[in-house]
Amino acid sequence: LVGWIAPALKQELLAGDPVEVIDDWKGSTGLVRPDFFDWPARIEADMAEHDPDVVVLGFGGNDTQNLTTDDGILLLGTPEWKAEYQRRIGEVLDLIEAPGRTVYWIGLPLTTSDPIETLRPVMTGAIEAELDTRPWAHLIDTREALAPDGTLTSELTGDDGQMVTTMAPDQIHPSLDGGVLIVREFLPELLHERKLDA
């Protein structure tokens, strides 16, 4: 669900800003199926290769599945599932943590997906619990950007007063314009933190 964030960041950064945006995402992946795609391993490799100052990431759109562990299968949405999902979020954050590095975790947008919306409180609670112990990590509430009145919509008024499409036709994935609105939720804080807003 965050595939458009890097292009949106590139679009919104001011020309001349000493910033390199490294785009690394893979569709149909998340934290519940490391057998399909191992995000902790990829993140560890990315941190070693790029040593970024800021990491922007998000998971959850494909995580509405049972969890397989060494001790067996954890049924979706159960307390045991939430505990393991939260542990995996903590693992990701531990792999990212480094002196001076910050994280912006992109929260789930409102969608028409019943599985995502049903599990949203569980996933968001797990994310918040881990971020609360890490002052260098920030949760970005995408609902402020894409559903300002609390209602799912696929169009919002753009900079020129014309309507822009903020969601893909599936009403699950944000579009590039939706990505821009999400980025605008945290870019001022990011630029201030990195002293690029002078």
Side-chain angles (χ1 to χ4, degrees):
L1 299 184
V2 297
W4 283 113
I5 296 299
L9 269 170
K10 292 176 183 177
Q11 179 175 310
E12 290 298 294
L13 287 166
L14 296 176
D17 278 343
V19 177
E20 178 187 6
V21 177
I22 299 163
D23 191 357
D24 186 10
W25 66 278
K26 185 172 178 62
S28 303
T29 66
L31 299 180
V32 301
R33 290 287 309 277
D35 59 309
F36 175 67
F37 191 83
D38 190 340
W39 268 111
R42 172 62 71 88
I43 288 169
E44 186 173 27
D46 279 345
M47 297 305 104
E49 179 180 357
H50 303 294
D51 188 23
D53 296 308
V54 177
V55 177
V56 181
L57 79 168
F59 297 101
N62 293 293
D63 284 343
T64 56
Q65 306 174 53
N66 294 335
L67 276 166
T68 300
T69 71
D70 292 340
D71 297 323
I73 295 175
L74 304 179
L75 296 180
L76 180 66
T78 61
E80 294 79 13
W81 187 98
K82 179 182 178 182
E84 173 61 16
Y85 191 69
Q86 182 174 327
R87 186 198 68 77
R88 294 184 186 195
I89 292 167
E91 177 186 17
V92 164
L93 291 167
D94 288 344
L95 290 168
I96 292 172
E97 184 174 8
R101 184 178 290 158
T102 52
V103 166
Y104 291 87
W105 191 294
I106 307 299
L108 290 167
L110 283 178
T111 72
T112 55
S113 165
D114 288 339
I116 291 175
E117 295 309 313
T118 299
L119 201 61
R120 174 189 298 280
V122 174
M123 291 191 288
T124 301
I127 295 166
E128 289 175 339
E130 289 302 310
L131 267 59
D132 281 348
T133 66
R134 298 170 172 88
W136 46 270
H138 314 283
L139 178 61
I140 307 306
D141 188 349
T142 56
R143 295 172 302 177
E144 295 288 328
L146 301 182
D149 65 355
T151 304
L152 177 64
T153 181
S154 60
E155 290 188 325
L156 290 170
T157 305
D159 294 340
D160 61 359
Q162 301 299 308
M163 301 302 288
V164 296
T165 300
T166 55
M167 297 293 287
D170 64 7
Q171 294 292 288
I172 295 173
H173 294 79
S175 66
L176 174 58
D177 284 316
V180 166
L181 293 177
I182 293 170
V183 163
R184 288 178 180 177
E185 288 292 313
F186 67 91
L187 187 57
E189 181 180 356
L190 187 158
L191 295 177
H192 179 71
E193 167 201 306
R194 295 292 154 181
K195 299 180 173 55
L196 297 173
D197 59 349

